[in-house]
Amino acid sequence: MSDKAFWLTTPLDKMTSSQWESLCDGCALCCLHKLEDEDTGDVYYTDVHCRYMEQDTCRCTVYQTRQEKVPHCVWLTPDQAKEFHWLPETCAYRLVAEGKPLFDWHPLVSGDRESVHLAGISIRNKGIPDDRIPEEEWEDRIIWKA
């Protein structure tokens, strides 16, 4: 099998850093703030995103130093795969961890970084940066339950 289908043959914990990073489809859904119900553990996504997420590209503007600037930013690693249930059902990290195929619009399948945006999966030009809305209003901005 060719290297472009590595996600079908290589376990998450055996992937190179380049392979691991390429699983990210660029949707930026992980940049949305999530709220957790303390009683049930349910996770709710809001349309409030990290201030460092560039809305046109859905890319982090401080990727290499994001944990310094946003200490609670989650840095996904293969050893967390069993915990990926909170990620969107379309997320390649979650899909690969669950043994499911990637969607046709995923850049690794389509060969086009824009396909995730063209398919309407990303949050390109959607939502509101977290520095423009008080945190106490985030609960009013819930858009779905994980």
Side-chain angles (χ1 to χ4, degrees), residues 70-101:
V70 184
H72 62 277
C73 180
V74 176
W75 195 310
L76 296 177
T77 61
D79 60 320
Q80 301 165 321
K82 288 184 167 87
E83 302 168 22
F84 288 170
H85 64 276
W86 62 269
L87 290 169
E89 293 178 356
T90 57
C91 179
Y93 294 110
R94 178 175 174 178
L95 291 169
V96 172
E98 294 175 353
K100 296 177 181 174

Side-chain angles (χ1 to χ4, degrees), residues 14 18 29 39 47 69 71 83 97 104-105 112 126 141:
K14 301 291 186 213
S18 177
L29 292 172
D39 296 327
D47 70 347
K69 301 210 184 288
E83 302 168 22
D104 290 342
W105 48 258
D112 181 4
K126 297 176 186 169
R141 304 201 55 105

